Amino acid sequence: PFQFGYYPQDESPSRSLGCHCPICQAEFKRQMQEKYVTVAALNQAWGTELKSFDEIELPKGMKKSVRFCDWQEFRRWSHLDFAKFVYDTLKENDPNHMVVWSIPFWGGANDVAAWWDFPQCTDVLMRHGIGYRTGAYRIHMLRDIAEWSGKPGSALCMPPDYNPGYVQMSFIMDTPRTGLSHVCLAGPDAPTYQGTADPTKDWQRREPGYTVSKSINNVMYQLGDLYLESKQRDPEVGLYASDRTLLINGTNRNELNGILLMLGDLNVDFRIFSEHNLGELSRFPAIIVGQCSRCVSDEIAAKFRDYVADGGNLVMFQGAFAADWHNQDAGSPGFGFDEVIGSTERETASRTGAMACDSAAAGDALTNLPEQAPVAGEVSIREPAEGVRVIGSLADGEPLMTLHDYG
């Protein structure tokens, strides 16, 4: 009666560039023959001169190539195939208990983390380990995949001695729009749950003592029938995090986490989306794309260009739409987006300091610009087209941020 369910494995995917055992080699060759049919077609795609599918060698390192993309797709397939087999076996033999996986949320290409595919393999989308540098993306991503898939999401912090700070607690309690957030914290002298505890203060109750679920319950009592009849308002900002980029290139988690923290600090409600739930882009008045949107197909790129042409607002960070579906460099950005944003990349440079913002140049199109904004690391120095407004520059006058009316 005390069994909740099954916890098959903790953060399950491969942490290297894959298994090269005879079984995996044979299956990969079989799938490549099924995909390409002829060796000639395989050679044309891979740029090789193989005489048979038996000569296929498995990649041993990351490379921007069709061959490596095929290998990554195979690795993700094998990961999901195993997880689905475990899930189906457990549900077939015990349909009345839940299967809960701790979802892998690393962003490296070696991990092939299947963020958007994993709902088919679990009853609860669970994520533990909320690090300071990646806490926002781990929880926000979990929230939006849970809402999209219909599977409940559960956010766990590490057990006692992990010592979560206030910022990490706020991620867990405040980030989700729906569902139950909880923390498995209880000191040695408090075996029963007494609310979220502070391990730095003798496990005293941490304030404010609330969770999202408690807030929802209070709202139900205060609003009555009005709550039951109300509808959640869609966020006005979309953040496009490409699943293809995650698979074949990897995602810079620090950059993604920084964007999420920035939006949270500005009190902007947003939704993360990917190729899996692209839908009508017009549902967002504004969309953000960054390095996590590096790889894009011609078809998807066209949808984003049409979105801007039809009046949508697109905010592009360096690295967005810079490569094709097989991670081949296409520009910064490519796919015609230099025309959309009104500038091309002249060069990249390492800068640390401040960018001066020009609110007069922005005019009514972009209000409340700060006088300065911090700059650190590699930046893209732009070459603006005629008539394009430069609204952010380095101290030496080099343009970094442009504003263009397109469409």
Side-chain angles (χ1 to χ4, degrees):
F2 299 105
Q3 179 180 346
F4 174 80
Y6 300 94
Y7 186 75
Q9 192 173 0
D10 180 21
E11 300 179 333
S12 60
S14 170
R15 304 195 187 197
S16 64
L17 280 173
C19 175
H20 289 197
C21 74
I23 295 175
C24 287
Q25 291 189 46
E27 179 60 21
F28 179 61
K29 293 175 182 179
R30 187 197 68 78
Q31 290 193 18
M32 292 303 97
Q33 186 169 5
E34 184 179 84
K35 177 178 180 178
Y36 291 105
V37 182
T38 67
V39 177
L42 175 73
N43 285 331
Q44 183 177 9
W46 284 15
T48 53
E49 296 180 354
L50 303 179
K51 294 181 175 58
S52 72
F53 287 99
D54 291 334
E55 293 184 4
I56 289 176
E57 294 184 0
L58 277 57
K60 294 182 172 60
M62 180 178 172
K63 189 176 181 180
K64 297 176 182 178
S65 66
V66 176
R67 175 171 172 252
F68 182 75
C69 292
D70 285 339
W71 176 238
Q72 290 294 90
E73 291 171 4
F74 169 77
R75 292 182 59 221
R76 178 177 282 185
W77 168 84
S78 63
H79 169 213
L80 291 169
D81 183 65
F82 168 74
K84 191 66 165 60
F85 170 77
V86 172
Y87 176 79
D88 290 342
T89 300
L90 289 171
K91 298 301 285 188
E92 180 180 349
N93 290 276
D94 187 0
N96 297 320
H97 287 91
M98 290 192 175
V99 178
V100 182
W101 293 81
S102 177
I103 308 300
F105 263 62
W106 309 298
N110 60 315
D111 301 311
V112 293
W115 296 347
W116 297 87
D117 288 309
F118 221 87
Q120 63 181 300
C121 306
T122 187
D123 292 317
V124 177
L125 296 166
M126 196 271 280
R127 178 62 230 161
H128 77 259
I130 312 304
Y132 175 76
R133 291 186 302 167
T134 59
Y137 105 85
R138 291 171 186 253
I139 299 300
H140 281 96
M141 190 73 71
L142 179 71
R143 176 197 71 185
D144 289 343
I145 293 175
E147 290 186 6
W148 163 72
S149 67
K151 293 291 180 74
S154 173
L156 286 173
C157 196
M158 287 292 191
D161 297 330
Y162 175 62
N163 191 21
Y166 172 77
V167 174
Q168 294 160 324
M169 281 289 189
S170 69
F171 287 157
I172 293 172
M173 292 200 293
D174 296 337
T175 298
R177 285 190 292 262
T178 60
L180 174 64
S181 295
H182 57 282
V183 186
C184 55
L185 285 178
D189 300 325
T192 59
Y193 178 73
Q194 298 294 318
T196 53
D198 189 340
T200 65
K201 296 182 180 179
D202 196 28
W203 302 96
Q204 297 176 15
R205 180 179 174 87
R206 187 187 294 272
E207 299 297 340
Y210 70 91
T211 65
V212 172
S213 59
K214 185 185 295 185
S215 299
I216 291 175
N217 290 337
N218 289 337
V219 168
M220 290 175 64
Y221 282 112
Q222 293 168 11
L223 298 183
D225 292 341
L226 180 61
Y227 172 80
L228 299 177
E229 295 172 357
S230 65
K231 303 295 182 182
Q232 179 177 317
R233 184 188 68 180
D234 285 336
E236 295 191 343
V237 175
L239 174 60
Y240 179 61
S242 163
D243 187 46
R244 183 69 176 182
T245 299
L246 173 71
L247 176 64
I248 64 175
N249 180 80
T251 292
N252 185 327
R253 293 178 296 172
N254 289 338
E255 188 217 43
L256 176 56
N257 197 62
I259 294 175
L260 299 179
L261 288 172
M262 175 183 65
L263 293 172
D265 291 342
L266 294 172
N267 198 30
V268 173
D269 193 16
F270 61 91
R271 174 165 289 133
I272 302 171
F273 67 105
S274 73
E275 298 91 338
H276 293 263
N277 57 339
L278 203 62
E280 292 296 327
L281 298 180
S282 59
R283 68 187 187 276
F284 299 113
I287 293 176
I288 297 173
V289 292
Q291 186 275 335
C292 60
S293 322
R294 169 180 165 81
C295 301
V296 66
S297 67
D298 291 330
E299 180 184 2
I300 293 176
K303 290 184 178 181
F304 276 91
R305 288 196 303 270
D306 291 343
Y307 164 78
V308 182
D310 291 338
N313 298 287
L314 186 66
V315 180
M316 297 195 77
F317 284 78
Q318 181 183 5
F321 299 161
D324 66 14
W325 202 244
H326 295 108
N327 207 15
Q328 301 298 297
D329 294 335
S332 184
F335 297 90
F337 280 92
D338 50 350
E339 179 184 352
V340 174
I341 64 176
S343 67
T344 57
E345 183 175 86
R346 186 199 309 161
E347 60 177 317
T348 59
S350 180
R351 294 286 190 273
T352 299
M355 174 181 68
C357 300
D358 190 341
S359 57
D364 295 336
L366 196 61
T367 59
N368 299 320
L369 277 179
E371 292 185 3
Q372 291 183 326
V375 172
E378 185 180 86
V379 298
S380 175
I381 297 176
R382 311 304 298 176
E383 187 68 50
E386 184 178 354
V388 172
R389 288 175 276 182
V390 176
I391 60 174
S393 304
L394 293 171
D396 57 8
E398 295 283 19
L400 290 187
M401 185 164 59
T402 60
L403 180 63
H404 185 213
D405 298 325
Y406 177 87

